[in-house]
Amino acid sequence: MTWSIVARDAATGAYGVAVSTCAFAVGSRVPYGGGRIGAIATQAFVNPLYGVDGMRLLQEGRSAVEIIATLTAADEGRAHRQLHVIDREGKIAAFTGASCIDWCGAVDGPQVSVAGNMLSGPEVIQQTLKAYIAASALDFDERLLVALEAGEKAGGDKRGRQSAAIRIWSGEPVPSFDIRIDDHVDPLAELRRLWRVAHQRYVPFQQASPSRSRPAGVTDRNELDRLCNEYAAAWNARHPE
């Protein structure tokens, strides 16, 4: 009941998952990931343990192929699941259970995978992948958004639309970018609106937060305001409405 894209940005090393569906709050269930280790999308009849256990396997340095095999072998409900993974080497693996509802399947390219089920047809994931590859000049977050928009234009979820999300991990265990639409008549349009809002303060604020490389983060409020204002001005100049 979903289609999603998992990818590694070659320019920055960031990992991301973007997803859209005709179900409530898809961002709370499908995407998992971590900086420097990889990303996972678990969908169809979602098994959240695929995300939890898959993250542990990514942290151990297991390959995407090994992770798919391990998770599905332990799950008697695997015929109803769909799962795709990108590992720390940028390698891809995907699984679509035999009982997933048509149209269902997956395609991939260099450091990117697109998978979906209950779609209007294979062109949904094909166009999602094509748009992602063609948009290599864009920032990673916008590239993921453009890919989802292309998939929706190609038909999307055959039941309709309700929720969408983008999560990105730039180098830390926590997301550097995390926006989601839980319930909306046009979730991707709303996601694009929030994408722009996020770059006004949320993104630079995240960049100034505590991290492994800078444990205290930026705590001077005047300095934080300066950094956020400078970031927003530069970003807006590069992304005119």
Side-chain angles (χ1 to χ4, degrees):
M1 59 182 187
T2 300
W3 88 101
S4 64
I5 176 170
V6 299
R8 180 182 182 272
D9 182 31
T12 65
Y15 289 91
V17 180
V19 57
S20 183
T21 192
C22 184
F24 181 75
V26 70
S28 70
R29 299 275 285 175
V30 169
Y32 292 81
R36 300 187 177 92
I37 62 170
I40 297 169
T42 169
Q43 53 200 49
F45 266 101
V46 170
N47 184 341
L49 297 179
Y50 280 9
V52 174
D53 295 340
M55 286 300 300
R56 173 179 52 80
L57 295 171
L58 283 172
Q59 289 166 350
E60 293 173 0
R62 305 279 289 277
S63 72
V65 170
E66 289 178 299
I67 291 169
I68 293 279
T70 299
L71 295 177
T72 56
D75 179 14
E76 293 184 359
R78 59 187 170 271
H80 302 276
R81 320 289 188 208
Q82 190 173 50
L83 171 70
H84 55 150
V85 180
I86 183 167
D87 62 28
R88 66 179 61 202
E89 303 298 328
K91 301 294 179 60
I92 298 293
F95 171 83
T96 299
S99 296
C100 288
I101 297 175
D102 282 335
W103 191 89
C104 56
V107 293
D108 62 72
Q111 302 188 82
V112 57
S113 173
V114 183
N117 61 91
M118 207 178 287
L119 302 179
S120 63
E123 61 277 0
V124 176
I125 61 171
Q126 292 166 356
Q127 290 302 311
T128 300
L129 179 63
K130 181 179 179 180
Y132 177 81
I133 292 172
S136 60
L138 298 180
D139 295 340
F140 189 37
D141 55 346
E142 186 176 15
R143 195 178 179 191
L144 293 170
L145 178 55
V146 164
L148 283 185
E149 290 170 337
E152 181 172 280
K153 187 175 181 180
D157 188 320
K158 67 183 181 181
R159 300 165 305 157
R161 52 194 181 181
Q162 185 174 4
S163 67
I166 298 175
R167 301 189 83 193
I168 292 172
W169 298 265
S170 294
E172 300 293 324
V174 296
S176 57
F177 190 84
D178 187 355
I179 59 173
R180 59 189 65 181
I181 309 302
D182 287 345
D183 182 31
H184 198 276
V185 295
D186 193 351
L188 289 185
E190 180 66 0
L191 195 68
R192 178 166 281 278
R193 185 187 72 82
L194 288 190
W195 164 77
R196 182 168 293 277
V197 172
H199 282 282
Q200 305 313 301
R201 189 171 179 88
Y202 165 79
V203 171
F205 190 92
Q206 291 290 99
Q207 293 174 352
S209 296
S211 64
R212 299 296 190 199
S213 61
R214 188 171 59 180
V218 176
T219 56
D220 183 291
R221 294 181 183 276
N222 291 330
E223 175 67 3
L224 183 58
D225 285 342
R226 184 188 67 79
L227 291 172
C228 289
N229 290 337
E230 287 182 356
Y231 175 95
W235 189 90
N236 290 333
R238 297 196 321 271
H239 302 85
E241 294 190 57

